[in-house]
């Protein structure tokens, strides 16, 4: 789960940062008949030029049935009509798609009022000065993955990635763009966090997003890689003290007090073959809520459908429905619980394809190797 202990300007890692800058995002109501989606993660390919040891998508080669640019054409106005805060073009490595910039331009053309922020996730290897120039004005945000200093980062992500990622961040920064460093924290990379934050700040990279490892995909059995959020906070505080010794550290965000849902359904996950899932973690076949080749995104996201019913789960009520969730809190990730147990009674009346039923025969993007 994201670590929300902010360290502005190292890091500026808060949710809905953009809402304050674009007033309509926080004031205009979402469509009443669809789920109120905040972020759509559009996986345009499963192909990747790295083999990160913890990749939740287990990205490597493209799926055999990835949607073409022509097939995605009707999806762009649907995305705009859904009114998410942002659409994140991701992968795999999205820049391996030769038409990636055309896809982003298509979303821009479908959204003349610029109501949806266009974001790009990349590992940085394919970012050149020429490409960076093209991204300025096309992408509202570019996030470059970088997890540690050279030795630990490259051990997790692949040889040469530290240099490539840092070069990409600096290339974008030199053009006046404010890229974001996307840091996934594991027990292997955590010792570098303090020094990495200081290094980024020295290079002018002050927008950072911290995420702890999820035990899915290639990391599903690596419980020893998990980190304690208190250790993360301590590292960010030390980085702040080194960079800004005359300034007191910013206050920690208040802990959640009112029950909230875990975010399922608020973070839509679309895989390269058009399957739609309620989040990054719940990408098991039984959680597929529809496919863009078969029905529109607005139909899939209707509040009366499986996605809407998943989004409406009441955290307060979960322990009554399933004793296994007795420890559920307002920050509980149901995806993590399902990944660990493989079975939860609360899903039975909601899932479009409960365990044991016949799901559509399509390429399954969530693989284990």
């Amino acid at each position: 789960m994201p670590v929300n202990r902010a360290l502005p300007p190292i890091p500026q890692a808060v949710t809905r940062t953009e809402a304050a800058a674009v007033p309509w995002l926080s004031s205009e109501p979402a469509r009443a008949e669809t789920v109120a989606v905040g972020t759509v993660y559009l996986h345009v390919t499963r192909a990747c030029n790295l083999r990160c040891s913890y990749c939740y998508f287990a990205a490597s080669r493209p799926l055999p049935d990835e949607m073409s640019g022509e097939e995605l054409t009707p999806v762009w106005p649907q995305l705009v009509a859904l009114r998410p805060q942002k659409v994140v073009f991701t992968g795999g490595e999205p820049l391996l798609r030769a038409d990636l910039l055309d896809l982003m331009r298509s979303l821009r053309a479908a959204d003349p009022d610029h109501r949806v922020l266009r974001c790009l996730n990349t590992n940085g290897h394919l970012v050149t000065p020429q490409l960076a120039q093209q991204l300025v004005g096309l992408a509202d945000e570019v996030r470059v993955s970088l997890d540690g200093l050279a030795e630990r980062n490259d051990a997790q992500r692949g040889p040469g990635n530290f240099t490539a990622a840092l070069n990409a961040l600096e290339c974008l920064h030199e053009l006046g763009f404010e890229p974001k460093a996307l840091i996934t924290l594991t027990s292997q990379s955590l010792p570098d966090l303090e020094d990495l934050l200081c290094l980024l700040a020295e290079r002018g990279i002050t927008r950072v997003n911290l995420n702890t490892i999820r035990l899915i995909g290639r990391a599903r059995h690596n419980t020893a890689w998990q980190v304690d959020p208190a250790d993360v906070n301590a590292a960010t505080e030390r980085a702040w003290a080194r960079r800004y010794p005359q300034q007191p550290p910013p206050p920690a965000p208040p802990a959640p007090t009112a029950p909230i849902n875990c975010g399922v359904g608020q973070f839509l996950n679309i895989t390269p073959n058009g399957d739609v899932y309620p989040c990054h973690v719940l990408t098991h076949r039984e959680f597929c809520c529809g496919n863009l080749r078969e029905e529109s995104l607005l139909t899939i996201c209707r509040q009366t459908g499986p996605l809407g019913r998943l989004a409406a789960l009441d955290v307060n009520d979960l322990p009554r429905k399933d004793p296994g969730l007795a420890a559920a809190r307002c920050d509980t990730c149901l995806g993590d619980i399902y990944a660990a147990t493989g079975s939860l009674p609360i899903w039975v009346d909601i899932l479009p394809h409960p365990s044991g039923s016949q799901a559509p025969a399509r390429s399954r993007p969530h693989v284990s190797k």
Side-chain angles (χ1 to χ4, degrees):
M1 61 181 290
V3 176
N4 291 320
R5 180 62 180 267
L7 184 65
I10 343 171
Q12 212 172 52
V14 294
T15 57
R16 296 190 178 272
T17 301
E18 295 84 354
V22 189
W24 77 266
L25 286 172
S26 56
S27 60
E28 186 171 327
R31 294 173 61 93
E33 66 271 23
T34 57
V35 174
V37 175
T39 301
V40 175
Y41 291 93
L42 180 61
H43 295 261
V44 295
T45 184
R46 188 170 164 267
C48 192
N49 47 0
L50 296 180
R51 299 292 184 271
C52 299
S53 56
Y54 57 79
C55 180
Y56 74 88
F57 202 42
S60 56
R61 298 179 179 179
L63 294 176
D65 57 349
E66 296 185 348
M67 294 186 72
S68 66
E70 183 177 356
E71 288 179 302
L72 285 168
T73 297
V75 176
W76 308 122
Q78 296 168 23
L79 278 169
V80 176
L82 189 61
R83 298 180 185 173
Q85 181 177 328
K86 65 177 72 172
V87 172
V88 180
F89 290 80
T90 187
E93 170 50 54
L95 290 173
L96 285 174
R97 270 195 73 139
D99 63 347
L100 187 277
L101 295 184
D102 288 335
L103 299 182
M104 298 185 72
R105 292 185 187 108
S106 295
L107 176 57
R108 181 175 63 183
D111 184 24
D113 296 325
H114 201 172
R115 294 186 165 192
V116 179
L117 297 170
R118 299 179 296 273
C119 306
L120 172 66
N121 285 356
T122 177
N123 59 37
H125 281 258
L126 300 178
V127 175
T128 63
Q130 295 75 22
L131 177 65
Q133 184 67 58
Q134 290 179 287
L135 288 172
V136 174
L138 180 58
D140 296 293
E141 180 179 81
V142 178
R143 310 171 184 180
V144 182
S145 296
L146 179 64
D147 299 340
L149 300 180
E151 182 178 355
R152 288 191 173 98
N153 179 86
D154 290 3
Q156 284 191 170
R157 299 183 54 78
N161 176 247
F162 174 81
T163 299
L166 195 58
N167 286 344
L169 287 165
E170 292 182 322
C171 186
L172 290 159
H173 180 67
E174 288 170 2
L175 292 171
F177 201 91
E178 290 191 63
K180 177 180 285 187
L182 187 61
I183 301 176
T184 298
L185 295 164
T186 71
S187 59
Q188 309 300 303
S189 63
L190 183 59
D192 282 349
L193 180 58
E194 176 186 344
D195 290 336
L196 178 61
L197 292 174
C198 290
L199 172 66
L200 290 172
E202 289 167 5
R203 304 293 180 93
I205 311 301
T206 59
R207 302 186 71 234
V208 178
N209 195 80
L210 303 178
N211 294 280
T212 54
I213 189 175
R214 310 307 295 264
L215 298 181
I216 55 177
R218 293 196 185 108
R220 69 195 186 284
H221 299 309
N222 296 319
T223 56
W225 286 6
Q226 291 180 301
V227 298
D228 187 336
D231 294 333
V232 176
N233 288 336
T236 59
E237 289 172 358
R238 292 193 302 270
W240 177 276
R242 283 172 55 182
R243 290 293 300 165
Y244 307 100
Q246 305 304 318
Q247 300 181 33
T257 54
I260 58 174
N261 293 337
C262 71
V264 64
Q266 300 172 41
F267 303 98
L268 210 59
N269 200 48
I270 302 176
T271 59
N273 63 355
D275 284 342
V276 179
Y277 293 89
C279 75
H280 282 73
V281 188
L282 295 174
T283 54
H284 305 79
R285 183 78 257 155
E286 55 267 32
F287 285 93
C288 181
C289 294
N291 183 274
L292 296 179
R293 287 186 170 113
E294 300 168 3
E295 52 189 337
S296 78
L297 184 62
L298 296 178
T299 299
I300 294 171
C301 292
R302 65 192 186 280
Q303 289 194 6
T304 55
L307 189 66
R309 295 197 296 274
L310 285 170
L313 283 173
D314 184 349
V315 173
N316 261 351
D317 202 33
L318 297 185
R320 181 183 64 80
K321 294 182 177 180
D322 180 6
L325 288 177
R329 307 181 310 276
C330 52
D331 60 349
T332 295
C333 173
L334 299 181
D336 284 346
I337 294 175
Y338 188 81
T341 65
S343 175
L344 284 177
I346 59 171
W347 307 128
V348 172
D349 298 327
I350 297 177
L351 295 183
H353 311 290
S355 226
S357 70
Q358 184 64 40
R362 289 189 290 270
S363 300
R364 182 174 178 174
H366 186 84
V367 296
S368 299
K369 60 183 179 180

